[in-house]
Amino acid sequence: VDAQDSARQWYEAIVREVAPDTVKVHYFGWGSKWDAILPRRRDAAEGKLKSKSPPVPLWSRTSRWREQIKVGDEVEVRESSSLVQRPKWHRATVLAVGRETDTPRELVGGAELEAMDDNGHGKKVPLLLLNRKRQILVEVPQERLKCTSPLPTVRSKNDDGFPAAQPPFIRWVNLYSEEICQVNTHQ
C-alpha cells in the first residue's frame, strides 16, 4: 500500500496488522519506531485518527521508481554496518540491473534488516514489495574503505557479464527490499 506519515509524506508501506477500523503499517525503508496506526476508511476515523489518511493502493501516491531503475541512476542504500534500529543511508550508483527471472544471487555485505517475513519454513527473510526478487548491483563510495580484499584498478566481470561484487563497496541488493530507497528519501 501507499501510506501517509505524520508529516503528510506518502511512502510505500506494508500492512502489518488489521483491526476492524484500523491498520498498522510499516513504512518501507524506515525503522519500526515509525510504524503507524491508520484508519481503514476516512469515514470511520475518530479522535486522533481523524486527521490521518487511510492507506491507498500501492503506487497510487508514490512513484514506481523501482520499475524505472537503470544503470547510472542514484539511489540510497543502507550502510552495511549501521544498527538495525538506527540505519544510516548512503548514496549509491547503480552498476547493473538484474532481471526479475534471474536466479537470486547471494547477498553479501549488506545491512542487517529489522523487518522480516517468515518464509513458511521457519526462516526469516527480508521483506520484499510484492515478493519481487529483482536485484541490482550498486557502488557505495562511502563503503570503499570497508572492503576486505584489495580493490582491482580495472573492474572485472563475472561469467554472467555483470561487474564482480566487492562487498560492501560494490554489492547486490534486492531492488524491492528495505535496503534501498529512492534518492533523497533520508535527507
PDB file of all heavy atoms in Angstrom, residues 119-157:
ATOM      1  N   ASN A 119       9.442 -17.261   5.843  1.00  0.00           N
ATOM      2  CA  ASN A 119       9.344 -17.844   4.505  1.00  0.00           C
ATOM      3  C   ASN A 119       8.463 -19.090   4.461  1.00  0.00           C
ATOM      4  O   ASN A 119       8.390 -19.765   3.444  1.00  0.00           O
ATOM      5  CB  ASN A 119      10.737 -18.161   3.941  1.00  0.00           C
ATOM      6  CG  ASN A 119      11.413 -19.325   4.633  1.00  0.00           C
ATOM      7  OD1 ASN A 119      10.933 -19.839   5.635  1.00  0.00           O
ATOM      8  ND2 ASN A 119      12.548 -19.729   4.097  1.00  0.00           N
ATOM      9  N   GLY A 120       7.788 -19.415   5.554  1.00  0.00           N
ATOM     10  CA  GLY A 120       6.927 -20.580   5.591  1.00  0.00           C
ATOM     11  C   GLY A 120       7.644 -21.837   6.049  1.00  0.00           C
ATOM     12  O   GLY A 120       7.025 -22.864   6.278  1.00  0.00           O
ATOM     13  N   HIS A 121       8.966 -21.765   6.170  1.00  0.00           N
ATOM     14  CA  HIS A 121       9.763 -22.894   6.620  1.00  0.00           C
ATOM     15  C   HIS A 121      10.511 -22.548   7.904  1.00  0.00           C
ATOM     16  O   HIS A 121      11.538 -23.144   8.205  1.00  0.00           O
ATOM     17  CB  HIS A 121      10.771 -23.316   5.538  1.00  0.00           C
ATOM     18  CG  HIS A 121      10.129 -23.644   4.231  1.00  0.00           C
ATOM     19  ND1 HIS A 121       9.382 -24.782   4.028  1.00  0.00           N
ATOM     20  CD2 HIS A 121      10.101 -22.965   3.059  1.00  0.00           C
ATOM     21  CE1 HIS A 121       8.937 -24.790   2.791  1.00  0.00           C
ATOM     22  NE2 HIS A 121       9.355 -23.701   2.188  1.00  0.00           N
ATOM     23  N   GLY A 122      10.016 -21.526   8.624  1.00  0.00           N
ATOM     24  CA  GLY A 122      10.632 -21.135   9.890  1.00  0.00           C
ATOM     25  C   GLY A 122      11.856 -20.251   9.740  1.00  0.00           C
ATOM     26  O   GLY A 122      12.505 -19.942  10.721  1.00  0.00           O
ATOM     27  N   LYS A 123      12.178 -19.827   8.539  1.00  0.00           N
ATOM     28  CA  LYS A 123      13.352 -18.980   8.319  1.00  0.00           C
ATOM     29  C   LYS A 123      12.894 -17.544   8.051  1.00  0.00           C
ATOM     30  O   LYS A 123      11.932 -17.313   7.323  1.00  0.00           O
ATOM     31  CB  LYS A 123      14.159 -19.490   7.125  1.00  0.00           C
ATOM     32  CG  LYS A 123      15.423 -18.708   6.893  1.00  0.00           C
ATOM     33  CD  LYS A 123      16.226 -19.253   5.723  1.00  0.00           C
ATOM     34  CE  LYS A 123      17.458 -18.385   5.537  1.00  0.00           C
ATOM     35  NZ  LYS A 123      18.037 -18.518   4.233  1.00  0.00           N
ATOM     36  N   LYS A 124      13.599 -16.590   8.650  1.00  0.00           N
ATOM     37  CA  LYS A 124      13.285 -15.180   8.434  1.00  0.00           C
ATOM     38  C   LYS A 124      13.986 -14.692   7.169  1.00  0.00           C
ATOM     39  O   LYS A 124      15.169 -14.957   6.960  1.00  0.00           O
ATOM     40  CB  LYS A 124      13.728 -14.324   9.624  1.00  0.00           C
ATOM     41  CG  LYS A 124      12.976 -14.637  10.891  1.00  0.00           C
ATOM     42  CD  LYS A 124      11.555 -14.171  10.799  1.00  0.00           C
ATOM     43  CE  LYS A 124      10.819 -14.364  12.104  1.00  0.00           C
ATOM     44  NZ  LYS A 124       9.427 -14.002  11.992  1.00  0.00           N
ATOM     45  N   VAL A 125      13.249 -13.993   6.329  1.00  0.00           N
ATOM     46  CA  VAL A 125      13.777 -13.442   5.077  1.00  0.00           C
ATOM     47  C   VAL A 125      13.381 -11.974   4.997  1.00  0.00           C
ATOM     48  O   VAL A 125      12.397 -11.556   5.594  1.00  0.00           O
ATOM     49  CB  VAL A 125      13.247 -14.220   3.845  1.00  0.00           C
ATOM     50  CG1 VAL A 125      13.744 -15.656   3.849  1.00  0.00           C
ATOM     51  CG2 VAL A 125      11.732 -14.193   3.793  1.00  0.00           C
ATOM     52  N   PRO A 126      14.159 -11.154   4.252  1.00  0.00           N
ATOM     53  CA  PRO A 126      13.821  -9.729   4.154  1.00  0.00           C
ATOM     54  C   PRO A 126      12.451  -9.502   3.514  1.00  0.00           C
ATOM     55  O   PRO A 126      12.020 -10.272   2.657  1.00  0.00           O
ATOM     56  CB  PRO A 126      14.924  -9.165   3.245  1.00  0.00           C
ATOM     57  CG  PRO A 126      16.021 -10.160   3.279  1.00  0.00           C
ATOM     58  CD  PRO A 126      15.385 -11.489   3.531  1.00  0.00           C
ATOM     59  N   LEU A 127      11.787  -8.447   3.970  1.00  0.00           N
ATOM     60  CA  LEU A 127      10.534  -8.033   3.340  1.00  0.00           C
ATOM     61  C   LEU A 127      10.814  -7.629   1.897  1.00  0.00           C
ATOM     62  O   LEU A 127      11.787  -6.930   1.620  1.00  0.00           O
ATOM     63  CB  LEU A 127       9.957  -6.810   4.058  1.00  0.00           C
ATOM     64  CG  LEU A 127       9.309  -7.002   5.412  1.00  0.00           C
ATOM     65  CD1 LEU A 127       8.916  -5.648   5.983  1.00  0.00           C
ATOM     66  CD2 LEU A 127       8.094  -7.886   5.304  1.00  0.00           C
ATOM     67  N   LEU A 128       9.952  -8.042   0.998  1.00  0.00           N
ATOM     68  CA  LEU A 128      10.057  -7.639  -0.402  1.00  0.00           C
ATOM     69  C   LEU A 128       8.691  -7.136  -0.847  1.00  0.00           C
ATOM     70  O   LEU A 128       7.684  -7.807  -0.620  1.00  0.00           O
ATOM     71  CB  LEU A 128      10.476  -8.819  -1.288  1.00  0.00           C
ATOM     72  CG  LEU A 128      11.848  -9.422  -1.035  1.00  0.00           C
ATOM     73  CD1 LEU A 128      12.048 -10.661  -1.892  1.00  0.00           C
ATOM     74  CD2 LEU A 128      12.940  -8.403  -1.314  1.00  0.00           C
ATOM     75  N   LEU A 129       8.666  -5.982  -1.484  1.00  0.00           N
ATOM     76  CA  LEU A 129       7.409  -5.481  -2.027  1.00  0.00           C
ATOM     77  C   LEU A 129       6.911  -6.459  -3.080  1.00  0.00           C
ATOM     78  O   LEU A 129       7.653  -6.831  -4.005  1.00  0.00           O
ATOM     79  CB  LEU A 129       7.595  -4.110  -2.678  1.00  0.00           C
ATOM     80  CG  LEU A 129       7.667  -2.905  -1.760  1.00  0.00           C
ATOM     81  CD1 LEU A 129       7.960  -1.650  -2.574  1.00  0.00           C
ATOM     82  CD2 LEU A 129       6.389  -2.733  -0.969  1.00  0.00           C
ATOM     83  N   LEU A 130       5.676  -6.893  -2.937  1.00  0.00           N
ATOM     84  CA  LEU A 130       5.018  -7.795  -3.890  1.00  0.00           C
ATOM     85  C   LEU A 130       5.832  -9.063  -4.163  1.00  0.00           C
ATOM     86  O   LEU A 130       5.680  -9.679  -5.205  1.00  0.00           O
ATOM     87  CB  LEU A 130       4.729  -7.059  -5.207  1.00  0.00           C
ATOM     88  CG  LEU A 130       3.902  -5.777  -5.098  1.00  0.00           C
ATOM     89  CD1 LEU A 130       3.787  -5.097  -6.445  1.00  0.00           C
ATOM     90  CD2 LEU A 130       2.527  -6.073  -4.529  1.00  0.00           C
ATOM     91  N   ASN A 131       6.713  -9.425  -3.220  1.00  0.00           N
ATOM     92  CA  ASN A 131       7.584 -10.606  -3.364  1.00  0.00           C
ATOM     93  C   ASN A 131       8.433 -10.575  -4.626  1.00  0.00           C
ATOM     94  O   ASN A 131       8.830 -11.615  -5.148  1.00  0.00           O
ATOM     95  CB  ASN A 131       6.774 -11.906  -3.299  1.00  0.00           C
ATOM     96  CG  ASN A 131       6.339 -12.192  -1.889  1.00  0.00           C
ATOM     97  OD1 ASN A 131       7.082 -11.927  -0.948  1.00  0.00           O
ATOM     98  ND2 ASN A 131       5.141 -12.711  -1.741  1.00  0.00           N
ATOM     99  N   ARG A 132       8.725  -9.393  -5.118  1.00  0.00           N
ATOM    100  CA  ARG A 132       9.568  -9.271  -6.311  1.00  0.00           C
ATOM    101  C   ARG A 132      11.027  -9.478  -5.926  1.00  0.00           C
ATOM    102  O   ARG A 132      11.482  -8.961  -4.919  1.00  0.00           O
ATOM    103  CB  ARG A 132       9.359  -7.918  -6.975  1.00  0.00           C
ATOM    104  CG  ARG A 132       7.960  -7.799  -7.543  1.00  0.00           C
ATOM    105  CD  ARG A 132       7.811  -6.581  -8.393  1.00  0.00           C
ATOM    106  NE  ARG A 132       6.476  -6.543  -8.959  1.00  0.00           N
ATOM    107  CZ  ARG A 132       6.015  -5.524  -9.642  1.00  0.00           C
ATOM    108  NH1 ARG A 132       6.783  -4.469  -9.867  1.00  0.00           N
ATOM    109  NH2 ARG A 132       4.800  -5.556 -10.128  1.00  0.00           N
ATOM    110  N   LYS A 133      11.753 -10.193  -6.764  1.00  0.00           N
ATOM    111  CA  LYS A 133      13.115 -10.605  -6.408  1.00  0.00           C
ATOM    112  C   LYS A 133      14.204 -10.005  -7.292  1.00  0.00           C
ATOM    113  O   LYS A 133      15.349 -10.408  -7.234  1.00  0.00           O
ATOM    114  CB  LYS A 133      13.196 -12.134  -6.454  1.00  0.00           C
ATOM    115  CG  LYS A 133      12.308 -12.774  -5.394  1.00  0.00           C
ATOM    116  CD  LYS A 133      12.371 -14.268  -5.446  1.00  0.00           C
ATOM    117  CE  LYS A 133      11.609 -14.952  -4.354  1.00  0.00           C
ATOM    118  NZ  LYS A 133      10.334 -14.487  -4.004  1.00  0.00           N
ATOM    119  N   ARG A 134      13.874  -9.017  -8.101  1.00  0.00           N
ATOM    120  CA  ARG A 134      14.888  -8.393  -8.964  1.00  0.00           C
ATOM    121  C   ARG A 134      15.972  -7.770  -8.097  1.00  0.00           C
ATOM    122  O   ARG A 134      15.694  -7.170  -7.064  1.00  0.00           O
ATOM    123  CB  ARG A 134      14.258  -7.328  -9.842  1.00  0.00           C
ATOM    124  CG  ARG A 134      15.290  -6.563 -10.659  1.00  0.00           C
ATOM    125  CD  ARG A 134      14.657  -5.586 -11.577  1.00  0.00           C
ATOM    126  NE  ARG A 134      14.365  -6.309 -12.793  1.00  0.00           N
ATOM    127  CZ  ARG A 134      13.716  -5.796 -13.826  1.00  0.00           C
ATOM    128  NH1 ARG A 134      13.270  -4.578 -13.777  1.00  0.00           N
ATOM    129  NH2 ARG A 134      13.509  -6.505 -14.898  1.00  0.00           N
ATOM    130  N   GLN A 135      17.205  -7.923  -8.523  1.00  0.00           N
ATOM    131  CA  GLN A 135      18.343  -7.382  -7.780  1.00  0.00           C
ATOM    132  C   GLN A 135      19.111  -6.389  -8.650  1.00  0.00           C
ATOM    133  O   GLN A 135      19.080  -6.473  -9.872  1.00  0.00           O
ATOM    134  CB  GLN A 135      19.272  -8.518  -7.346  1.00  0.00           C
ATOM    135  CG  GLN A 135      18.618  -9.469  -6.371  1.00  0.00           C
ATOM    136  CD  GLN A 135      19.488 -10.660  -6.048  1.00  0.00           C
ATOM    137  OE1 GLN A 135      20.247 -11.133  -6.874  1.00  0.00           O
ATOM    138  NE2 GLN A 135      19.379 -11.144  -4.826  1.00  0.00           N
ATOM    139  N   ILE A 136      19.776  -5.467  -7.967  1.00  0.00           N
ATOM    140  CA  ILE A 136      20.647  -4.517  -8.666  1.00  0.00           C
ATOM    141  C   ILE A 136      22.011  -4.517  -7.979  1.00  0.00           C
ATOM    142  O   ILE A 136      22.119  -4.796  -6.783  1.00  0.00           O
ATOM    143  CB  ILE A 136      20.049  -3.093  -8.715  1.00  0.00           C
ATOM    144  CG1 ILE A 136      19.886  -2.503  -7.314  1.00  0.00           C
ATOM    145  CG2 ILE A 136      18.741  -3.068  -9.480  1.00  0.00           C
ATOM    146  CD1 ILE A 136      19.489  -1.033  -7.313  1.00  0.00           C
ATOM    147  N   LEU A 137      23.030  -4.211  -8.771  1.00  0.00           N
ATOM    148  CA  LEU A 137      24.389  -4.088  -8.249  1.00  0.00           C
ATOM    149  C   LEU A 137      24.662  -2.608  -8.052  1.00  0.00           C
ATOM    150  O   LEU A 137      24.467  -1.811  -8.975  1.00  0.00           O
ATOM    151  CB  LEU A 137      25.390  -4.689  -9.245  1.00  0.00           C
ATOM    152  CG  LEU A 137      26.845  -4.737  -8.797  1.00  0.00           C
ATOM    153  CD1 LEU A 137      27.029  -5.721  -7.642  1.00  0.00           C
ATOM    154  CD2 LEU A 137      27.736  -5.151  -9.968  1.00  0.00           C
ATOM    155  N   VAL A 138      25.060  -2.244  -6.841  1.00  0.00           N
ATOM    156  CA  VAL A 138      25.301  -0.835  -6.525  1.00  0.00           C
ATOM    157  C   VAL A 138      26.740  -0.624  -6.069  1.00  0.00           C
ATOM    158  O   VAL A 138      27.357  -1.515  -5.503  1.00  0.00           O
ATOM    159  CB  VAL A 138      24.335  -0.307  -5.447  1.00  0.00           C
ATOM    160  CG1 VAL A 138      22.890  -0.305  -5.941  1.00  0.00           C
ATOM    161  CG2 VAL A 138      24.460  -1.076  -4.146  1.00  0.00           C
ATOM    162  N   GLU A 139      27.221   0.572  -6.327  1.00  0.00           N
ATOM    163  CA  GLU A 139      28.526   1.010  -5.822  1.00  0.00           C
ATOM    164  C   GLU A 139      28.270   2.077  -4.774  1.00  0.00           C
ATOM    165  O   GLU A 139      27.620   3.081  -5.047  1.00  0.00           O
ATOM    166  CB  GLU A 139      29.375   1.573  -6.950  1.00  0.00           C
ATOM    167  CG  GLU A 139      30.728   2.066  -6.496  1.00  0.00           C
ATOM    168  CD  GLU A 139      31.574   2.593  -7.643  1.00  0.00           C
ATOM    169  OE1 GLU A 139      31.318   2.250  -8.808  1.00  0.00           O
ATOM    170  OE2 GLU A 139      32.498   3.371  -7.354  1.00  0.00           O
ATOM    171  N   VAL A 140      28.788   1.830  -3.563  1.00  0.00           N
ATOM    172  CA  VAL A 140      28.578   2.743  -2.437  1.00  0.00           C
ATOM    173  C   VAL A 140      29.940   3.330  -2.066  1.00  0.00           C
ATOM    174  O   VAL A 140      30.701   2.715  -1.321  1.00  0.00           O
ATOM    175  CB  VAL A 140      27.963   1.996  -1.227  1.00  0.00           C
ATOM    176  CG1 VAL A 140      27.545   2.993  -0.154  1.00  0.00           C
ATOM    177  CG2 VAL A 140      26.794   1.128  -1.649  1.00  0.00           C
ATOM    178  N   PRO A 141      30.297   4.513  -2.595  1.00  0.00           N
ATOM    179  CA  PRO A 141      31.637   5.067  -2.366  1.00  0.00           C
ATOM    180  C   PRO A 141      32.041   5.155  -0.891  1.00  0.00           C
ATOM    181  O   PRO A 141      33.193   4.898  -0.555  1.00  0.00           O
ATOM    182  CB  PRO A 141      31.564   6.457  -2.998  1.00  0.00           C
ATOM    183  CG  PRO A 141      30.506   6.341  -4.036  1.00  0.00           C
ATOM    184  CD  PRO A 141      29.499   5.370  -3.471  1.00  0.00           C
ATOM    185  N   GLN A 142      31.100   5.473   0.012  1.00  0.00           N
ATOM    186  CA  GLN A 142      31.433   5.606   1.433  1.00  0.00           C
ATOM    187  C   GLN A 142      31.851   4.274   2.053  1.00  0.00           C
ATOM    188  O   GLN A 142      32.426   4.243   3.128  1.00  0.00           O
ATOM    189  CB  GLN A 142      30.250   6.181   2.226  1.00  0.00           C
ATOM    190  CG  GLN A 142      29.927   7.602   1.882  1.00  0.00           C
ATOM    191  CD  GLN A 142      28.905   7.695   0.745  1.00  0.00           C
ATOM    192  OE1 GLN A 142      28.767   6.794  -0.072  1.00  0.00           O
ATOM    193  NE2 GLN A 142      28.219   8.814   0.671  1.00  0.00           N
ATOM    194  N   GLU A 143      31.565   3.149   1.394  1.00  0.00           N
ATOM    195  CA  GLU A 143      31.902   1.825   1.928  1.00  0.00           C
ATOM    196  C   GLU A 143      33.234   1.299   1.378  1.00  0.00           C
ATOM    197  O   GLU A 143      33.662   0.206   1.719  1.00  0.00           O
ATOM    198  CB  GLU A 143      30.788   0.821   1.579  1.00  0.00           C
ATOM    199  CG  GLU A 143      29.420   1.251   2.052  1.00  0.00           C
ATOM    200  CD  GLU A 143      28.981   0.619   3.340  1.00  0.00           C
ATOM    201  OE1 GLU A 143      29.822   0.428   4.239  1.00  0.00           O
ATOM    202  OE2 GLU A 143      27.788   0.317   3.450  1.00  0.00           O
ATOM    203  N   ARG A 144      33.917   2.077   0.546  1.00  0.00           N
ATOM    204  CA  ARG A 144      35.149   1.628  -0.099  1.00  0.00           C
ATOM    205  C   ARG A 144      36.199   1.154   0.906  1.00  0.00           C
ATOM    206  O   ARG A 144      36.851   0.138   0.704  1.00  0.00           O
ATOM    207  CB  ARG A 144      35.736   2.758  -0.944  1.00  0.00           C
ATOM    208  CG  ARG A 144      37.055   2.421  -1.611  1.00  0.00           C
ATOM    209  CD  ARG A 144      37.603   3.608  -2.370  1.00  0.00           C
ATOM    210  NE  ARG A 144      37.015   3.786  -3.663  1.00  0.00           N
ATOM    211  CZ  ARG A 144      37.430   3.159  -4.767  1.00  0.00           C
ATOM    212  NH1 ARG A 144      38.415   2.322  -4.709  1.00  0.00           N
ATOM    213  NH2 ARG A 144      36.846   3.380  -5.913  1.00  0.00           N
ATOM    214  N   LEU A 145      36.344   1.861   2.000  1.00  0.00           N
ATOM    215  CA  LEU A 145      37.380   1.522   2.983  1.00  0.00           C
ATOM    216  C   LEU A 145      37.060   0.269   3.785  1.00  0.00           C
ATOM    217  O   LEU A 145      37.918  -0.253   4.492  1.00  0.00           O
ATOM    218  CB  LEU A 145      37.622   2.698   3.925  1.00  0.00           C
ATOM    219  CG  LEU A 145      38.121   3.977   3.245  1.00  0.00           C
ATOM    220  CD1 LEU A 145      38.230   5.107   4.250  1.00  0.00           C
ATOM    221  CD2 LEU A 145      39.447   3.734   2.548  1.00  0.00           C
ATOM    222  N   LYS A 146      35.829  -0.237   3.684  1.00  0.00           N
ATOM    223  CA  LYS A 146      35.438  -1.422   4.444  1.00  0.00           C
ATOM    224  C   LYS A 146      35.690  -2.718   3.683  1.00  0.00           C
ATOM    225  O   LYS A 146      35.400  -3.790   4.196  1.00  0.00           O
ATOM    226  CB  LYS A 146      33.960  -1.336   4.812  1.00  0.00           C
ATOM    227  CG  LYS A 146      33.652  -0.205   5.769  1.00  0.00           C
ATOM    228  CD  LYS A 146      32.179  -0.158   6.073  1.00  0.00           C
ATOM    229  CE  LYS A 146      31.857   1.052   6.932  1.00  0.00           C
ATOM    230  NZ  LYS A 146      30.427   1.224   7.086  1.00  0.00           N
ATOM    231  N   CYS A 147      36.200  -2.653   2.465  1.00  0.00           N
ATOM    232  CA  CYS A 147      36.454  -3.867   1.679  1.00  0.00           C
ATOM    233  C   CYS A 147      37.549  -4.695   2.336  1.00  0.00           C
ATOM    234  O   CYS A 147      38.558  -4.158   2.784  1.00  0.00           O
ATOM    235  CB  CYS A 147      36.853  -3.517   0.251  1.00  0.00           C
ATOM    236  SG  CYS A 147      35.465  -2.972  -0.730  1.00  0.00           S
ATOM    237  N   THR A 148      37.342  -6.001   2.367  1.00  0.00           N
ATOM    238  CA  THR A 148      38.313  -6.893   3.000  1.00  0.00           C
ATOM    239  C   THR A 148      39.398  -7.344   2.039  1.00  0.00           C
ATOM    240  O   THR A 148      40.437  -7.815   2.461  1.00  0.00           O
ATOM    241  CB  THR A 148      37.613  -8.135   3.579  1.00  0.00           C
ATOM    242  OG1 THR A 148      36.875  -8.763   2.531  1.00  0.00           O
ATOM    243  CG2 THR A 148      36.684  -7.735   4.711  1.00  0.00           C
ATOM    244  N   SER A 149      39.165  -7.218   0.737  1.00  0.00           N
ATOM    245  CA  SER A 149      40.190  -7.602  -0.235  1.00  0.00           C
ATOM    246  C   SER A 149      40.595  -6.362  -1.029  1.00  0.00           C
ATOM    247  O   SER A 149      39.819  -5.420  -1.161  1.00  0.00           O
ATOM    248  CB  SER A 149      39.654  -8.689  -1.173  1.00  0.00           C
ATOM    249  OG  SER A 149      38.494  -8.235  -1.823  1.00  0.00           O
ATOM    250  N   PRO A 150      41.811  -6.342  -1.569  1.00  0.00           N
ATOM    251  CA  PRO A 150      42.249  -5.175  -2.342  1.00  0.00           C
ATOM    252  C   PRO A 150      41.354  -4.953  -3.553  1.00  0.00           C
ATOM    253  O   PRO A 150      40.903  -5.906  -4.182  1.00  0.00           O
ATOM    254  CB  PRO A 150      43.666  -5.529  -2.787  1.00  0.00           C
ATOM    255  CG  PRO A 150      44.018  -6.807  -2.130  1.00  0.00           C
ATOM    256  CD  PRO A 150      42.794  -7.386  -1.508  1.00  0.00           C
ATOM    257  N   LEU A 151      41.095  -3.702  -3.844  1.00  0.00           N
ATOM    258  CA  LEU A 151      40.250  -3.371  -4.986  1.00  0.00           C
ATOM    259  C   LEU A 151      41.091  -3.339  -6.262  1.00  0.00           C
ATOM    260  O   LEU A 151      42.139  -2.701  -6.300  1.00  0.00           O
ATOM    261  CB  LEU A 151      39.580  -2.008  -4.782  1.00  0.00           C
ATOM    262  CG  LEU A 151      38.611  -1.911  -3.609  1.00  0.00           C
ATOM    263  CD1 LEU A 151      38.154  -0.477  -3.419  1.00  0.00           C
ATOM    264  CD2 LEU A 151      37.425  -2.813  -3.821  1.00  0.00           C
ATOM    265  N   PRO A 152      40.637  -4.037  -7.309  1.00  0.00           N
ATOM    266  CA  PRO A 152      41.391  -4.001  -8.560  1.00  0.00           C
ATOM    267  C   PRO A 152      41.283  -2.620  -9.207  1.00  0.00           C
ATOM    268  O   PRO A 152      40.339  -1.883  -8.963  1.00  0.00           O
ATOM    269  CB  PRO A 152      40.704  -5.063  -9.415  1.00  0.00           C
ATOM    270  CG  PRO A 152      39.342  -5.217  -8.842  1.00  0.00           C
ATOM    271  CD  PRO A 152      39.439  -4.861  -7.379  1.00  0.00           C
ATOM    272  N   THR A 153      42.261  -2.271 -10.025  1.00  0.00           N
ATOM    273  CA  THR A 153      42.226  -0.976 -10.709  1.00  0.00           C
ATOM    274  C   THR A 153      41.259  -1.005 -11.884  1.00  0.00           C
ATOM    275  O   THR A 153      40.767   0.023 -12.303  1.00  0.00           O
ATOM    276  CB  THR A 153      43.633  -0.582 -11.195  1.00  0.00           C
ATOM    277  OG1 THR A 153      44.142  -1.640 -11.993  1.00  0.00           O
ATOM    278  CG2 THR A 153      44.559  -0.318 -10.022  1.00  0.00           C
ATOM    279  N   VAL A 154      40.990  -2.198 -12.422  1.00  0.00           N
ATOM    280  CA  VAL A 154      40.029  -2.360 -13.514  1.00  0.00           C
ATOM    281  C   VAL A 154      38.921  -3.271 -13.021  1.00  0.00           C
ATOM    282  O   VAL A 154      39.183  -4.288 -12.395  1.00  0.00           O
ATOM    283  CB  VAL A 154      40.710  -2.985 -14.759  1.00  0.00           C
ATOM    284  CG1 VAL A 154      39.694  -3.216 -15.853  1.00  0.00           C
ATOM    285  CG2 VAL A 154      41.846  -2.112 -15.244  1.00  0.00           C
ATOM    286  N   ARG A 155      37.672  -2.902 -13.280  1.00  0.00           N
ATOM    287  CA  ARG A 155      36.549  -3.720 -12.838  1.00  0.00           C
ATOM    288  C   ARG A 155      36.494  -5.020 -13.626  1.00  0.00           C
ATOM    289  O   ARG A 155      36.442  -5.013 -14.846  1.00  0.00           O
ATOM    290  CB  ARG A 155      35.234  -2.976 -13.022  1.00  0.00           C
ATOM    291  CG  ARG A 155      34.977  -2.011 -11.924  1.00  0.00           C
ATOM    292  CD  ARG A 155      33.481  -1.756 -11.772  1.00  0.00           C
ATOM    293  NE  ARG A 155      33.352  -0.712 -10.799  1.00  0.00           N
ATOM    294  CZ  ARG A 155      32.851   0.482 -11.055  1.00  0.00           C
ATOM    295  NH1 ARG A 155      32.391   0.765 -12.231  1.00  0.00           N
ATOM    296  NH2 ARG A 155      32.794   1.385 -10.109  1.00  0.00           N
ATOM    297  N   SER A 156      36.474  -6.126 -12.914  1.00  0.00           N
ATOM    298  CA  SER A 156      36.336  -7.417 -13.583  1.00  0.00           C
ATOM    299  C   SER A 156      34.861  -7.754 -13.727  1.00  0.00           C
ATOM    300  O   SER A 156      34.011  -7.201 -13.036  1.00  0.00           O
ATOM    301  CB  SER A 156      37.063  -8.501 -12.793  1.00  0.00           C
ATOM    302  OG  SER A 156      36.536  -8.567 -11.486  1.00  0.00           O
ATOM    303  N   LYS A 157      34.571  -8.678 -14.656  1.00  0.00           N
ATOM    304  CA  LYS A 157      33.187  -9.100 -14.881  1.00  0.00           C
ATOM    305  C   LYS A 157      33.064 -10.582 -14.561  1.00  0.00           C
ATOM    306  O   LYS A 157      33.996 -11.352 -14.713  1.00  0.00           O
ATOM    307  CB  LYS A 157      32.778  -8.838 -16.318  1.00  0.00           C
ATOM    308  CG  LYS A 157      32.740  -7.343 -16.641  1.00  0.00           C
ATOM    309  CD  LYS A 157      31.909  -7.086 -17.872  1.00  0.00           C
ATOM    310  CE  LYS A 157      31.879  -5.604 -18.151  1.00  0.00           C
ATOM    311  NZ  LYS A 157      30.611  -5.037 -18.217  1.00  0.00           N
TER     312      LYS A 157
END
